[in-house]
Amino acid sequence: MSVSGFAVDLGGTKTAAARIEDGQVAARLQKATDAGAGLDVQVGVIADLLAELGYAHGEPLGVAVTGRVDRHGDWHAINTGTLRGISAAPLGATLRAQFGARAHCANDAAAAALAEARLGAGRGAYNFAYLTVSTGVGGGLVLGGRLIDSGNGLAGHVGFAGSRLGDQRCGSGRIGTVESVAGGRAIAAAAGLHDARSVFEHGGFEPIIDRSAAAIAGLIGDLTAILGLDRVAIGGSIGLAPGYLARVLGHLQDEPALFRPEVVPAELTHDSGLIGALLIAQETA
């Protein structure tokens, strides 16, 4: 299928917009996300970026955002530490009003999962999961070729599943989650540093990084037990950091063979959310 149009990926730290041609990012712009801004400001940033890329009203547009997007297209910030100004915001209706009927929105990790399943590391897998390990831990599930969603928009938020290594409360409000151990915020807090990038750059924090990888390996085993996964792709700034996947694979060896699916790096890297957002828009139209 031809995947051409425009896409936006609005995350907790940056908002990226792109013109996509034949499934490839032809041009890309980004700016820092204002974590405290409300819907109008966020959509204004999207409009400015798209204008610079030459977007015209009515062209295909997919918008991927961190947080929940429910069946009505309303946007909810699950982790209020990531986006403080978003609560049941009518994102879908606002996008259609401003950009036309071919504009659609979805969760960012779900969009990335669909892109990887169709065009990247998930090709050929029947039951596939995409995990992103960055500031938090997110994911998307493509089972039997279908992206799994839910009315409340929670489907795929696998970072909020429990971990035997966790005992802290994460931004979702749950205690002892995978995200509370494996996400960038948790890694930085455990190391007493400002951000996870510093943890990887300074060295000497291998046990903290290894604990994160062990939590991700446990999550893979649990998801495989429930869903019978064939393949898992790992993305995100931490997930794709040098040596991290090898640590995950090492801990996965502690699982019985039946619970060890193929685990590979995401192929579309930081473009997966953009490409997947446009795919969802096209398949929804």
Side-chain angles (χ1 to χ4, degrees):
M1 65 180 295
S2 174
V3 184
S4 297
F6 292 81
V8 174
D9 187 354
L10 192 160
T13 57
K14 65 180 181 298
T15 299
R19 186 177 74 251
I20 296 172
E21 298 175 359
D22 296 324
Q24 302 288 326
V25 172
R28 175 189 175 114
L29 296 170
Q30 71 179 47
K31 67 179 303 182
T33 298
D34 182 349
L39 179 63
D40 290 345
V41 172
Q42 303 289 9
V43 173
V45 171
I46 290 172
D48 291 343
L49 290 171
L50 290 172
E52 288 189 60
L53 291 168
Y55 176 82
H57 182 87
E59 291 188 277
L61 172 62
V63 176
V65 295
T66 186
R68 289 191 296 122
V69 178
D70 66 24
R71 65 163 58 94
H72 305 295
D74 290 343
W75 180 21
H76 310 257
I78 301 178
N79 190 333
T80 55
T82 301
L83 292 174
R84 300 184 298 277
I86 299 299
S87 178
L91 177 62
T94 302
L95 292 174
R96 289 189 296 274
Q98 183 153 346
F99 301 109
R102 301 173 76 184
H104 294 273
C105 56
N107 168 261
D108 53 359
L114 185 63
E116 291 288 346
R118 297 275 194 272
L119 303 171
R123 286 173 295 181
Y126 185 74
N127 284 350
F128 169 72
Y130 167 80
L131 304 180
T132 175
V133 189
S134 54
T135 304
V137 176
L141 307 169
V142 181
L143 307 181
R146 177 181 176 272
L147 177 65
I148 300 303
D149 60 5
S150 62
N152 63 5
L154 191 59
H157 283 81
V158 295
F160 301 140
S163 170
R164 61 182 176 272
L165 299 175
D167 58 9
Q168 300 297 308
R169 189 182 302 275
C170 81
S172 71
R174 300 197 74 205
I175 297 172
T177 64
V178 174
E179 180 165 307
S180 73
V181 177
R185 280 198 181 90
I187 290 173
L193 296 177
H194 177 66
D195 55 36
R197 177 178 295 180
S198 300
V199 175
F200 282 85
E201 290 176 347
H202 285 80
F205 297 104
E206 284 75 13
I208 295 171
I209 297 171
D210 198 62
R211 188 166 176 260
S212 167
I216 295 299
L219 174 62
I220 291 170
D222 288 345
L223 290 174
T224 301
I226 297 167
L227 303 172
L229 297 177
D230 306 307
R231 190 179 305 151
V232 175
I234 295 183
S237 57
I238 293 171
L240 295 174
Y244 188 84
L245 179 57
R247 290 177 182 271
V248 173
L249 291 173
H251 285 288
L252 197 59
Q253 291 302 309
D254 294 335
E255 296 279 353
L258 185 61
F259 304 93
R260 300 197 304 258
E262 182 183 11
V263 181
V264 298
E267 289 184 10
L268 303 177
T269 61
H270 305 298
D271 292 333
S272 57
L274 290 163
I275 295 169
L278 182 57
L279 275 169
I280 290 174
Q282 289 186 334
E283 295 185 9
T284 303

